[in-house]
Amino acid sequence: MVRAIVGGCWGDEGKGKVTDLLSENSDIVVRFQGGANAGHTIINEYGKFALHLLPSGIFHQNITNVIAQGVAFNLEQFFHELDDVTGKGVPMPNILVSDRAQIVMPYHVLFDALEEQRLGGKGFGSTKSGIAPFYSDKYLKIGIQVCDLYDDERLLSKLERACEQKNITLGALYHQDEMLEPKKLFDELVSYRERLRPFVGDAALFLNKAIKAGKTVLLEGQLGSLKDPDNGIYPFTTSSSPLAGFATVGAAIPPRAIEQIIVVVKSYSSAVGAGAFVSEIFGDEAQELRDRGGDGGEYGATTGRPRRMGWLDTVAVKYGCMLQGCTDVCLSLIDVLGYLDKIPVCTAYEIDGQRTEDFPVTPLLDKAKPVYEYVDGWKCDIKGCRKYEDLPENARKYIEFIEQKIGYPITIISTGPKRDDIIYR
């Protein structure tokens, strides 16, 4: 069986915890897109971890963790995370890195920061992890693949070609004096290759053989539906597709093999970076929700910056679930809302005087005003509740209200940060 765990809206929904939990019954966990520009927070018997590149199955010795060819693979980040988790007592995980995965280069990170600086107040809210320049090079066909690390002549030639182009841009557009040196970059890359070698293999072949053998494969998505560059809040999106269907490309998974798509949806909303966010709230109202939310507050696992806060938006959630091909919704962080007398839910948008429940394109989204309905709160702490019938009546009504509005079944409910704070419905 192949199933995917993906984000319903802007990301940061709690996918890491759900992946960690469900990976117990999996043979393989796969990262199939994105890079170190978002983090999955996991709390388990080893401690608290913010994983940015490693798959969330690394805490289970029986699992093979695959970093597939669709991932923006940062060598420095990979070994930093690996050293961090093993240094905290986690046994060395089983990891397979695709030989076709492409490498995030130091100049990708540099160009990301320089471009955000150049754009100033018109920037995209990048995490400055090099993701957009990385994917740009990938589709310009000047990227460096993992397999290139083991061919000196090929690697140096590709670096010389890339640096020739990038040095022109560094000088002409960004007015930089220091230029890129191919040999210096070559030496940095080859310093990693022997340590990396035991992890490298043909991920596509491995996964397709595993599927034919009846193995259970868990696809771990990064970010969420609205960050998709084709279907999301463009141009304030990421640079790879966070949709479950992209695994057919990013990990060479046969489309027909994906049987279950679990879309993780927050019980309220949050977002990092710029772009439309119709149900956004501000001031003290936002700060209270931010301080109560997440695990220790709603702050980016990668950047540490405060997340933008808002109430649940069923227009966005319904659209996100549709894009993902949702079979099951996991509603996360419902315990956070126990302080509210009335819980606002954005159930429609008003655009130029017209009401709609359909998620529009960016120019219309920028004009949209939220239309709220209010659900009675339950005014008690439900953290750690593990049976649906034990939830307060108003908490159950809130869940059922959301389910009715989005049209997709809520089958998993997360009631706290710990792995076992979960309800199966």
Side-chain angles (χ1 to χ4, degrees):
M1 178 182 184
V2 179
R3 57 184 172 183
I5 296 176
V6 286
C9 293
W10 296 270
D12 302 312
E13 300 94 348
K15 297 183 293 295
K17 170 193 167 173
V18 182
T19 306
D20 180 45
L21 178 70
L22 297 183
S23 63
E24 289 181 328
N25 297 316
S26 302
D27 299 301
I28 302 163
V29 176
V30 185
R31 280 287 309 274
F32 61 90
Q33 52 84 219
N37 55 321
H40 289 172
T41 301
I42 293 174
I43 301 172
N44 57 29
E45 64 271 24
Y46 296 106
K48 180 179 177 180
F49 301 86
L51 302 180
H52 303 273
L53 197 58
L54 293 178
S56 296
I58 60 163
F59 303 101
H60 304 277
Q61 282 295 289
N62 60 314
I63 289 173
T64 301
N65 296 272
V66 177
I67 297 176
Q69 50 270 29
V71 172
F73 184 59
N74 186 311
L75 281 160
E76 182 180 7
Q77 180 69 31
F78 172 75
F79 286 116
H80 171 76
E81 286 188 30
L82 190 61
D83 290 342
D84 180 58
V85 297
T86 55
K88 292 177 180 176
V90 179
M92 177 62 73
N94 299 309
I95 299 173
L96 171 62
V97 177
S98 173
D99 50 11
R100 286 185 167 88
Q102 295 202 14
I103 297 170
V104 177
M105 297 293 295
Y107 50 72
H108 294 141
V109 179
L110 172 64
F111 274 82
D112 202 353
L114 289 172
E115 182 64 5
E116 282 292 297
Q117 182 181 346
R118 185 184 73 86
L119 291 171
K122 296 182 180 180
F124 298 107
S126 169
T127 62
K128 301 181 181 65
S129 303
I131 302 302
F134 164 87
Y135 281 106
S136 176
D137 278 6
K138 185 174 187 175
Y139 295 111
L140 283 170
K141 295 178 279 293
I142 59 171
I144 308 295
Q145 291 183 308
V146 166
C147 57
D148 294 329
L149 294 181
Y150 303 96
D151 185 326
D152 286 1
E153 184 178 350
R154 178 181 178 84
L155 178 59
L156 187 56
S157 174
K158 293 183 81 169
L159 288 170
E160 288 171 344
R161 177 187 173 195
C163 288
E164 180 181 10
Q165 179 194 84
K166 293 183 184 306
N167 282 337
I168 294 171
T169 307
L170 277 173
L173 182 61
Y174 298 117
H175 311 295
Q176 299 293 301
D177 295 325
E178 187 175 348
M179 297 290 106
L180 300 172
E181 300 177 24
K183 185 60 168 63
K184 185 177 179 181
L185 290 165
F186 174 87
D187 291 342
E188 182 176 346
L189 287 176
V190 299
S191 71
Y192 289 107
R193 66 182 175 190
E194 290 311 313
R195 190 179 179 194
L196 183 66
R197 191 186 293 273
F199 301 108
V200 176
D202 188 334
L205 182 61
F206 171 79
L207 289 170
N208 278 269
K209 283 184 175 180
I211 291 167
K212 286 183 178 180
K215 301 292 186 181
T216 300
V217 179
L218 189 59
L219 305 172
E220 180 180 11
Q222 183 212 47
L223 296 169
S225 304
L226 303 185
K227 294 292 188 174
D228 180 70
D230 291 300
N231 301 286
I233 54 172
Y234 187 85
F236 301 100
T237 62
T238 190
S239 301
S240 67
S241 176
L243 304 183
F246 185 73
T248 64
V249 177
I253 299 286
R256 65 184 182 277
I258 305 174
E259 297 177 36
Q260 186 181 29
I261 299 173
I262 300 169
V263 179
V264 185
V265 173
K266 236 172 195 165
S267 298
Y268 49 94
S269 297
S270 71
V272 171
F277 185 5
V278 177
S279 67
E280 186 171 11
I281 57 177
F282 304 92
D284 292 343
E285 184 181 31
Q287 191 59 47
E288 181 166 18
L289 183 57
R290 183 180 297 115
D291 288 342
R292 291 176 177 270
D295 176 59
E298 288 285 358
Y299 297 89
T302 298
T303 63
R305 62 188 173 187
R307 291 177 181 142
R308 299 162 65 192
M309 304 305 297
W311 302 119
L312 183 74
D313 180 343
T314 60
V315 180
V317 171
K318 180 173 65 174
Y319 179 69
C321 288
M322 179 190 79
L323 294 179
Q324 294 287 11
C326 175
T327 61
D328 300 78
V329 172
C330 170
L331 189 66
S332 67
L333 294 153
I334 191 170
D335 52 292
V336 171
L337 301 178
Y339 71 101
L340 294 162
D341 293 308
K342 295 279 187 179
I343 304 173
V345 181
C346 175
T347 57
Y349 299 162
E350 185 180 294
I351 304 172
D352 294 332
Q354 298 294 314
R355 179 187 168 107
T356 182
E357 295 181 6
D358 297 322
F359 196 81
V361 293
T362 299
L364 295 178
L365 198 60
D366 289 338
K367 300 180 183 180
K369 298 177 182 178
V371 177
Y372 286 110
E373 295 184 46
Y374 294 84
V375 181
D376 290 332
W378 46 93
K379 297 294 291 182
C380 65
D381 185 6
I382 60 170
K383 189 179 266 89
C385 187
R386 295 174 187 175
K387 292 184 179 179
Y388 188 69
E389 57 270 22
D390 291 342
L391 288 173
E393 181 181 4
N394 284 349
R396 297 197 303 271
K397 284 183 178 180
Y398 182 67
I399 294 164
E400 290 157 16
F401 176 83
I402 296 167
E403 191 173 56
Q404 185 269 324
K405 288 293 181 181
I406 65 175
Y408 293 90
I410 298 172
T411 61
I412 305 172
I413 301 153
S414 176
T415 59
K418 295 179 181 178
R419 179 188 286 173
D420 296 331
D421 294 343
I422 207 87
I423 294 171
Y424 295 102
R425 177 168 172 256

